[in-house]
Amino acid sequence: MSTASTETSLPSPAATVRVIASPQSWVEGEAVRQLEAVARLPGMKAAVGLPDLHPGKGAPVGAAFTSEGLFYPYLVGNDIGCGMGLWDVGMLARKAKAERWASKLEVEGPWNGDVEGFLAEEGVKPSGFEGALGTVGGGNHFAELQRVDAVHDARAFAELGLEADRLLLLVHSGSRGLGEAILRAHVDRHAAGGLVAGSDEARAYLTRHDHAVAWARANRALVARRVLDGIGAPARRVLDVCHNSVTPRREDGALRWLHRKGAAPADEGPVVIPGSRGALSYLVAPVGDGTGSAYSLAHGAGRKWTRTAARERIKERFTAESLTRTSFKSHVVCENKDLLFEEAPQAYKAIDRVVTDLVEAGLVKVVATLAPVLTYKTRSHEE
């Protein structure tokens, strides 16, 4: 790719395609092909790939799209509302007992608290999927206790009410089976087709979508509560952002639809861009007006290898036991061995390169880097 980004104009009526990635970043050709294919959909105006761009199931991940007149639920995918929440933990990092927590912490199965009361506190209606509320889920989801590695912008860090000697908790999870059910209902009727904005079906989908986004945010909050109860510490939610959604936005006098698939918002304040479980995470603040990046940022490091390739390659080089510790001496709780290999740090792109690309493109400034202390994936042997 060229210096900060590449931009190609496809034959009308295709949208403008832009990939924000430096020559040092590796972007798979299949991901670019998928991006260009989405740009050819009716009504599409722009397709933007972020530095973590990688192939997905029919559409790329690490991308944002704008359309006019209609929108495409399949671009959002099945984990509607998936995102990142960050909590400021009321415990000094030097008092962390990661080894003890790794042996006893459990965030599995239905929560035994007052689910309806909790949802009411969060302002969310029940969905019928409350058995999964407060669970991390599979794939790349996690709950990670972190320490501050370095503060790069003291003022922005202080404005968030953070202190460099305290633990943080980052939760990455989504709407669990709720989003899957919503997408399946759409695909059964429309396959990968779009919905005409303003139609009854579009309004019905958006109602379900917005509920899933709110439910996913509540899910992250309950995951955080369960982790915090497990370590015996209070916390304050610092931020929570969604990276799988479709939202209306007025541009150039027209109502357009912004789809984000694995793309963090650049218009909602600071966000955390996590690395793999063996890498730093970056607390960043968006800069600029966001127009060149579809008001979006990278949401993580982005996969370098498919899950199958990761299992095959990493099993040749590492034991499962060795992957439960990282180069930061942090602990990893993941009792599903296949998932342990699939999610190994080596399966992901370098997060420092992803964030550097965003900085060089004028999209973010780094506020702080965060190092893992304990990463919780699952106690279950099945994903």
Side-chain angles (χ1 to χ4, degrees):
M1 302 295 169
S2 68
T3 52
S5 67
T6 66
E7 186 167 322
T8 56
S9 293
L10 299 170
S12 181
T16 299
V17 177
R18 186 183 187 203
V19 178
I20 300 170
S22 69
Q24 291 76 35
S25 289
W26 182 79
V27 177
E28 195 171 335
E30 174 62 13
V32 177
R33 188 201 67 77
Q34 288 185 344
L35 194 72
E36 292 175 342
V38 171
R40 296 187 182 96
L41 293 173
M44 200 58 62
K45 296 297 181 182
V48 177
L50 287 311
D52 57 337
L53 182 71
H54 59 281
K57 296 178 180 178
V61 181
F65 315 94
T66 57
S67 63
E68 187 176 328
L70 67 169
F71 60 84
Y72 294 87
Y74 96 94
L75 293 179
V76 178
N78 64 345
D79 199 4
I80 302 166
C82 186
M84 304 279 177
L86 182 70
W87 280 260
D88 176 22
V89 181
M91 179 183 288
L92 295 174
R94 61 181 171 82
K95 293 191 174 182
K97 300 176 176 64
E99 188 169 0
R100 186 203 297 179
W101 295 339
S103 67
K104 73 168 189 174
L105 189 63
E106 185 162 336
V107 187
E108 307 289 335
W111 183 49
N112 60 9
D114 179 5
V115 171
E116 286 193 12
F118 175 80
L119 286 175
E121 288 175 13
E122 293 287 317
V124 181
K125 294 179 180 178
S127 68
F129 289 84
E130 278 65 45
L133 187 70
T135 58
V136 175
N140 61 353
H141 295 157
F142 61 82
E144 185 171 272
L145 286 159
Q146 302 175 326
R147 59 177 173 81
V148 177
D149 170 68
V151 176
H152 297 265
D153 187 324
R155 177 177 290 182
F157 189 78
E159 285 175 352
L160 291 170
L162 300 176
E163 295 182 19
D165 58 354
R166 285 208 300 258
L167 285 173
L168 295 166
L169 172 61
L170 182 66
V171 177
H172 174 204
S173 191
S175 55
R176 310 292 278 111
L178 174 58
E180 170 71 30
I182 293 169
L183 179 65
R184 188 172 298 163
H186 170 78
V187 169
D188 286 347
R189 265 181 86 86
H190 303 280
L195 296 175
V196 176
S199 67
D200 289 344
E201 288 188 318
R203 283 191 289 269
Y205 171 82
L206 290 172
T207 297
R208 293 190 292 266
H209 164 282
D210 293 351
H211 181 210
V213 169
W215 195 95
R217 187 177 192 271
N219 183 53
R220 288 187 288 276
L222 188 52
V223 169
R225 178 182 288 194
R226 296 179 80 172
V227 171
L228 294 163
D229 286 348
I231 68 171
R236 170 184 64 89
R237 182 159 50 192
V238 178
L239 60 87
D240 188 284
V241 297
C242 167
H243 53 234
N244 286 353
S245 65
V246 58
T247 53
R249 188 177 192 98
R250 191 157 291 280
E251 282 185 340
D252 302 326
L255 181 63
R256 292 183 175 169
W257 296 92
L258 174 56
H259 310 69
R260 291 185 174 115
K261 177 58 176 174
D267 52 1
E268 296 179 21
V271 302
V272 176
I273 304 176
S276 65
R277 66 187 182 226
L280 295 173
S281 294
Y282 285 74
L283 175 61
V284 303
V287 297
D289 62 10
T291 54
S293 64
Y295 312 97
S296 301
L297 304 170
H299 81 308
R303 291 197 73 88
K304 180 171 62 177
W305 299 334
T306 65
R307 294 187 176 277
T308 300
R311 284 198 306 272
E312 293 173 350
R313 294 184 184 193
I314 295 170
K315 280 181 178 178
E316 293 175 355
R317 300 169 52 196
F318 300 94
T319 64
E321 180 65 25
S322 70
L323 293 175
T324 63
R325 297 298 297 273
T326 75
S327 60
F328 290 90
K329 302 189 184 305
S330 64
H331 292 257
V332 177
V333 176
C334 184
E335 296 183 7
N336 178 323
K337 287 190 176 180
D338 281 347
L339 188 62
L340 190 62
F341 288 109
E342 292 168 6
E343 289 292 304
Q346 296 82 358
Y348 284 83
K349 300 179 188 183
I351 186 61
D352 56 345
R353 183 68 256 169
V354 168
V355 174
T356 297
D357 282 0
L358 293 174
V359 171
E360 291 178 348
L363 300 177
V364 303
K365 64 177 179 180
V366 177
V367 176
T369 48
L370 315 173
V373 172
L374 171 66
T375 307
Y376 187 97
K377 299 286 288 183
T378 182
R379 291 283 184 196
S380 172
H381 294 276
E382 296 182 3
E383 189 175 349

